[in-house]
Amino acid sequence: MKKLTCILFLFCIPFLGFGQTGTIIGKVTDYQTGEPLPFCNVFINNTTIATTTDFDGNYELKDLAEGEYEIGFSFIGYQAIQKPASLKPGGQLTISVALVSLEQELSDVEIKASRDRAWERDLRKFKNYFLGNDNMAAQCEILNPWVIDFPDDNSNNNFKAVAFQPIEIKNNALGYSLTFDLKEFAFTPQYSIISGATRFVEMETDDAKTQQLWQKNRLDTYLKSPANMFRAMIQNNHNQEGFYLYGDKPGGSASQNMRSDVFSSELGKSIVEYKPENLVSAGRKPGEYRILMKGRIEIHYEKGYSTVNTYKDAPYPISWLEVKGNYVNISSNGMVLNPQDVTFSGDMDKRKVSALLPMDYKPTLADRIDVQIAKDANSLQEKVYLHTDRPYYYQGDQLLFKAYFQYANPELKRELSKILYVELISGDRDLIIQKKFKIENGLAVGEIFLPDTLKQKEYYLRAYTSWNRNYGPDAYFVKALPVLSAYDRILSSENPQDLNLPIKSTFVSEKESYGKREKVSLQVSLKDESGRPVSANLSVSVRDTHYASVIPESSNLENSLKVMEVPKNITTEKFTYPLEREWNVFGRFLNEKAKPAATPFTVYFNNFEGTMEKETDKDGTFVLEEMDFYGPVDFAFLALDKKGKAFGTFELTPRLNPPFFVPSHITFPKITTTNESIFEGLEDEEETVTLEQVTIETEKEDNTRRAIYGKADHVVSGDKLNKNGTVSDLLNSLKTQIPGMSVTTTLQIRIRGGATSANLSMEPLVMVDGAVMPSGLGTRAADNIAAINPNDIERIEVVSRMSAMMGDLGRNGIIAIYLKRGGSQMPVLTGNTPGLNSLEIDGFGYGGSFVPFDYSLEEEHPEIDQRVTLYWNPYLVTDSDTGQINLEFHTNDSESPKIVVIEGLTIDGKPVHATHLILSK
């Protein structure tokens, strides 16, 4: 996580209270002459409550609630001032003031003429710091900029401004005219100060649409504001309003800046939910409250999307809050009463004066308070849809997907499933592959490697949760998934069809057509039926239509995510399958007589570095709770009898998969076979695969774990490697023991001659203890190897053939490094210890690894670029102000058009689907 900039955003906030209404009266005069000043503005600071003096300089503010106020006085040509006021219930308070005229008053023309380019440059900076830098700020106009001046010694590290008269602002986004009496303004990289008094006047319009837009923008601004968050905290429904709070975990990560960009990985490790017992307490006056905000609070607003993502799996606005003294004092409507102690950074600090709302703004929240959420079979539905990077694949390909969830009641999203099952099923209804993936924020991202041994051509992709099974097969996601050889063809003359959805898309590119290996820049805009920008979470794929043509899709986003109408007689009490919020592994123990028995046992994992003490019940059953790891991991189970001798056997309880039914709407395209490969040079590659090296059977089986790539072609033990030099020395010592391996002067590794993989890498894939290391643009195999201490290496296994199980990433072979096992408390235990049961458990699937290719950066270009998927990004979010996203990718060597497919959901759950063809020259 990058370092955050703490910023202080300070305003003078009036104190509002409850009780009988009162009145404030008074008179405004000239300080020197004593003459009354008619038409002087008198207002309650930061509200729309205002009046003007009459011809005798008198004013009256009526129907004011009991409380502490700040009264503002402003008049053209005079210095604006504010006076504090404390109003008693039903009382009348008199405040009279004498305004001082400005010593020097220039005409508008004289002031404008005196401004130079340096002033204009500073004014542009001031607008960004003062109004903000988003679309709402762009709709604000400073009507009298000539009243603003800047010191001669201004710099980016210490930028200041003064205003000798109140600044007049027209906010066309929220429909307010503001008069801002600037008291202090300063901006540094560490903090900013904006303090002053503000008078709000509602703008008038005869256009009903404009008035409706203002009301919407005001409500949207309030709902994600600190005021709404604090108000909701008083009522203990801030989660319902979308605000989730987290704090730094004591003893967590050594530095806040060392966190990863995956929130699910950090939760419980470096950060935890912030839930103090006494969050809200009474304030010093009726209608005031104190909120305990101790330490650095991380605020997630889950009812909005943000283009600036701190975490890949948390695509919503994130802010940070630090409070001097640990308490925020607020009024009943959420307004902060001690702003000088409160520091926001992140999203809540992004908007400045352009997002200001008057304190007397009254949002329509009647339909959001005290909402009773029914938890019945109908409202607990969840539907899933998978957007894959292609409609069909080739043997050995990598399948990339993003899963979208639709909930019958979005308020229950956090209470429903956290595990998604994705399966590849053959045309004969056989389960070929099953993976499970974590569901975070109603989304899941993953990958599946398709073996090159798939021969049937017609397969199905199915996705569901355990909870889905209670609603029957119609609740599952199923799509036809052809898996072809390079000699198969799908002949289709289909044009891309967009669904008739309310969200409309516009594509803008720099050119009408593009050549080979050319960079494409594409801007996409999403708008609703009223033409307003849309905030949406999206996944985007770009593929070449020669290698993956346009075919009819049997499953689409809109239909797949439609929730069903469940009959009232169906209740959750009749449901059979549990709601999976965590992953538990079940198993059974059998004694030496093959009968279940109760016994304590120990579970070893991570190469015997970690242990768990468990116990079976009388039926021999046990459960490993809240498992959380990725990929296959070896577990060792050991039970000891009274004499300390290992005994019995352990077995895992197989998961019962639902039967497979083919939905009636699923159809496959017509597949034909030719004598010509669709990929150039594949004949040579196939020939190389058939000449796979034969390995002589070793004398004894080693105790290494079964690898996903099968048996290695070469194994080099750690004691035969050069461990005293650099990575170059290590690679060169390895090269001498691996026939056909070469290392260039730039440490580029070649094992199989350098065929081009999907990410245009010609190097072998590197794995460390079974985990796939990053590969592709900007990452050499040597970079991954250099991160390992040579003295920690137990052995290196090298696969010189193409590895089918690793898909296209294994096209150039594999270098698999295994590290020495950690010291064990019981060194006599090994994988061959009698009575020690070793069982492999497959963890969660990985989130997918697509490496974009950039010809402007890559030094070594492939001879033939035959990429099928040119771009895949499952983490895109439109800008909430403009509804836009921007894409960049490079074309391949095919002369066929490229198709862009965009799918996703808006913030309110509406489906998004759009396609666009990019023509080739």
Side-chain angles (χ1 to χ4, degrees), residues 17-31:
F18 296 96
Q20 293 178 302
T21 60
T23 304
I24 299 178
I25 62 173
K27 188 172 183 176
V28 182
T29 60
D30 183 286
Y31 178 78

Side-chain angles (χ1 to χ4, degrees), residues 390-409:
R390 305 184 219 162
Y392 63 91
Y393 296 84
Y394 295 96
Q395 298 162 350
D397 272 348
Q398 176 192 27
L399 182 155
L400 298 162
F401 72 85
K402 182 175 182 180
Y404 294 93
F405 282 80
Q406 189 73 280
Y407 300 91
N409 192 328

Side-chain angles (χ1 to χ4, degrees), residues 526-545:
L526 299 181
K527 294 185 177 181
D528 61 16
E529 294 174 300
S530 301
R532 292 191 293 261
V534 171
S535 183
N537 191 316
L538 306 172
S539 48
V540 179
S541 71
V542 181
R543 69 178 190 272
D544 183 88
T545 57

Side-chain angles (χ1 to χ4, degrees), residues 380-576:
L380 289 172
Q381 287 185 80
E382 55 187 13
K383 296 293 293 294
V384 62
Y385 170 80
L386 297 192
H387 176 201
T388 57
D389 64 313
R390 305 184 219 162
Y392 63 91
Y393 296 84
Y394 295 96
Q395 298 162 350
D397 272 348
Q398 176 192 27
L399 182 155
L400 298 162
F401 72 85
K402 182 175 182 180
Y404 294 93
F405 282 80
Q406 189 73 280
Y407 300 91
N409 192 328
E411 301 289 347
L412 299 175
K413 174 176 68 174
R414 279 177 161 259
E415 299 183 29
L416 294 175
S417 300
K418 297 300 180 185
I419 300 176
L420 172 70
Y421 296 92
V422 180
E423 299 170 341
L424 182 71
I425 299 174
S426 71
D428 297 331
R429 314 299 192 267
D430 294 325
L431 181 61
I432 307 300
I433 297 174
Q434 182 187 78
K435 295 287 184 181
K436 53 185 168 290
F437 298 88
K438 288 185 178 181
I439 303 171
E440 300 289 345
N441 302 304
L443 303 168
V445 176
E447 65 183 4
I448 294 177
F449 289 98
L450 303 174
D452 61 1
T453 55
L454 299 178
K455 304 297 183 182
Q456 291 190 13
K457 297 182 176 54
E458 293 186 355
Y459 293 85
Y460 300 93
L461 188 67
R462 181 170 72 169
Y464 60 92
T465 65
S466 173
W467 190 247
N468 282 151
R469 300 179 67 173
N470 295 301
Y471 295 88
D474 291 340
Y476 307 162
F477 168 81
V478 180
K479 71 173 291 184
L481 191 77
V483 180
L484 313 180
S485 75
Y487 300 91
D488 295 323
R489 301 287 189 278
I490 294 180
L491 302 179
S492 175
S493 58
E494 291 282 331
N495 291 320
Q497 298 292 324
D498 284 342
L499 304 176
N500 187 21
L501 299 175
I503 307 302
K504 305 303 178 183
S505 59
T506 303
F507 294 80
V508 178
S509 58
E510 297 174 342
K511 301 179 181 180
E512 294 184 358
S513 59
Y514 291 83
K516 297 179 179 180
R517 305 191 180 192
E518 191 171 357
K519 182 179 180 179
V520 179
S521 297
L522 190 63
Q523 184 184 81
V524 187
S525 302
L526 299 181
K527 294 185 177 181
D528 61 16
E529 294 174 300
S530 301
R532 292 191 293 261
V534 171
S535 183
N537 191 316
L538 306 172
S539 48
V540 179
S541 71
V542 181
R543 69 178 190 272
D544 183 88
T545 57
H546 171 66
Y547 301 113
S549 59
V550 179
I551 65 173
E553 293 275 5
S554 55
S555 300
N556 62 60
L557 180 70
E558 183 182 27
N559 293 332
S560 297
L561 293 182
K562 283 183 178 178
V563 296
M564 303 177 292
E565 188 63 36
V566 180
K568 293 183 178 180
N569 64 310
I570 302 298
T571 64
T572 56
E573 288 78 11
K574 299 179 180 180
F575 284 179
T576 305

Side-chain angles (χ1 to χ4, degrees), residues 299-315:
I299 305 166
H300 294 204
Y301 180 63
E302 295 192 7
K303 291 195 173 182
Y305 287 140
S306 174
T307 53
V308 181
N309 298 138
T310 304
Y311 306 103
K312 291 195 299 184
D313 55 342

Side-chain angles (χ1 to χ4, degrees), residues 139-140 150 168 258 309 322 327 472 567 604 660 690 703 860:
Q139 298 180 63
C140 291
F150 310 99
E168 298 176 8
M258 293 299 291
N309 298 138
E322 294 181 89
Y327 282 95
Y604 299 90
F660 180 67
T690 59
N703 62 354
E860 186 175 3

Side-chain angles (χ1 to χ4, degrees), residues 5 118 192 200 209 227 267 297 380 393 395 431 472 485 528 578 719 751 779 826 834 858:
T5 302
S192 68
F200 288 83
K209 288 187 176 180
L267 186 59
I297 309 300
L380 289 172
Y393 296 84
Q395 298 162 350
L431 181 61
S485 75
D528 61 16
D719 57 3
I751 292 179
T779 303
M826 300 179 65
E858 183 72 6

Side-chain angles (χ1 to χ4, degrees), residues 36-57:
L37 292 179
F39 309 111
C40 174
N41 293 313
V42 184
F43 59 94
I44 304 294
N45 182 19
N46 209 18
T47 72
T48 59
I49 303 172
T51 187
T52 57
T53 57
D54 60 17
F55 284 101
D56 298 321

